[in-house]
Amino acid sequence: MQSLERSLTLLERMADLGGLCSLSDLAAESGLPLATAHRLMGTLVAQGYARRASGRRYVLGPRLIRLGDAAGRAMGSWASAHLADLAQRAGESANLAMLDGDRVVYLAQAPGRHAMRMFTEPGRRVDAHCTAVGKAMLARLPERRVRQILERSRMPRYTAATITDPDAMVDHLATVRRQGYAIDDGEQEVGVRCVAAALAVGRVCAAVSVSGPTTRMTPGSVRDVAAHVIRTAERLSQELDQAPL
């Protein structure tokens, strides 16, 4: 059991580091002795869950892809009823997303009732710093990891409203934590506003959101939409905590 726990820790640290990892990096991040990390990484490589890259470094292996895809589909299916209820209450499209390495991946969406609505295909990957779901999840992470993610992503500017300064983002995330939800106010796409809240379950890094055009998602309606989003995140968190996938 100890070896299994340590191996999973190494995989998580590799995902946290977001790319090529040296053995010394993995040992330092996991708190494992170098010899132990070397032995466990050899097993993970042999099983296809990691692979050796140039310069005696490691990356996540292809065998994890199938597991990740299956887990994402299962979580999206599990949350579908809650997303449909949220979309009905808010009147706009509702989404479920997770943090996958440094980027956000959307797992499921329930469409809004309007003919003109936001559409996000499950499996789509976006940067975290310019999305409400991304900021909601970043707000739950330690500042050190947040800054690592922001540094690796380089925080590209998508619109004039995109936050591209790491210090400004760290300050902004303090506001997200204080109010309990995040807003994408045209930061990824002009004319779109999104409200998101993170699930609060151990190390699960996921969030739900509602997105719509700014003509309907007005500043005055955001507070009401946020209340629906927060309640849905709380329900999902409670269910996930009581009956893990």
Side-chain angles (χ1 to χ4, degrees):
M1 290 300 295
Q2 185 183 59
S3 294
L4 174 60
E5 182 179 356
R6 288 175 168 179
S7 296
L8 293 173
T9 296
L10 286 172
L11 291 174
E12 290 182 352
R13 294 292 80 77
M14 290 176 72
D16 292 345
L17 290 169
L20 294 172
C21 308
S22 69
L23 193 62
S24 58
D25 288 338
L26 289 170
E29 289 289 326
S30 64
L32 295 174
L34 194 63
T36 300
H38 182 266
R39 175 175 56 82
L40 294 174
M41 287 305 301
T43 300
L44 291 171
V45 168
Q47 295 298 316
Y49 295 111
R51 65 181 178 85
R52 291 188 179 91
S54 60
R56 296 184 179 180
R57 291 179 292 181
Y58 297 88
V59 294
L60 294 173
R63 198 168 180 187
L64 290 169
I65 296 173
R66 182 173 65 88
L67 298 180
D69 287 345
R73 288 193 299 272
M75 192 165 184
S77 176
W78 159 74
S80 60
H82 290 284
L83 293 180
D85 179 70
L86 176 58
Q88 182 178 19
R89 291 176 185 276
E92 302 290 349
S93 298
N95 312 281
L96 174 68
M98 291 190 72
L99 193 65
D100 183 18
D102 294 344
R103 307 198 79 200
V104 170
V105 58
Y106 286 94
L107 302 179
Q109 181 183 76
R113 61 173 176 261
H114 301 279
M116 187 184 77
R117 56 181 182 258
M118 301 300 104
F119 176 75
T120 301
E121 184 178 2
R124 182 189 179 197
R125 296 175 185 271
V126 296
D127 289 317
H129 72 287
C130 59
T131 58
V133 284
K135 292 191 290 184
M137 290 185 282
L138 289 178
R140 293 197 65 228
L141 300 178
E143 182 177 334
R144 177 171 175 266
R145 187 179 172 196
V146 170
R147 288 188 178 275
Q148 289 173 338
I149 291 173
L150 297 178
E151 180 181 359
R152 288 191 293 261
S153 74
R154 300 185 179 181
M155 301 182 72
R157 182 182 298 279
Y158 291 95
T159 74
T162 308
I163 300 173
T164 58
D165 177 75
D167 292 331
M169 178 57 71
V170 168
D171 290 342
H172 179 73
L173 294 178
T175 300
V176 172
R177 283 190 291 272
R178 185 166 57 250
Q179 65 189 13
Y181 61 91
I183 300 176
D184 161 13
D185 198 358
E187 296 162 49
Q188 185 188 37
E189 187 174 345
V190 174
V192 176
R193 186 169 283 125
C194 186
V195 181
L199 276 62
V201 185
R203 298 193 63 174
V204 173
C205 208
V208 291
S209 69
V210 166
S211 56
T214 54
T215 52
R216 293 196 302 262
M217 289 274 288
T218 64
S221 69
V222 162
R223 188 176 296 274
D224 289 338
V225 172
H228 292 308
V229 171
I230 291 170
R231 280 196 290 271
T232 300
E234 290 173 345
R235 293 189 189 108
L236 288 170
S237 298
Q238 185 178 25
E239 285 194 14
L240 191 59
D241 188 47
Q242 292 176 350
L245 293 176

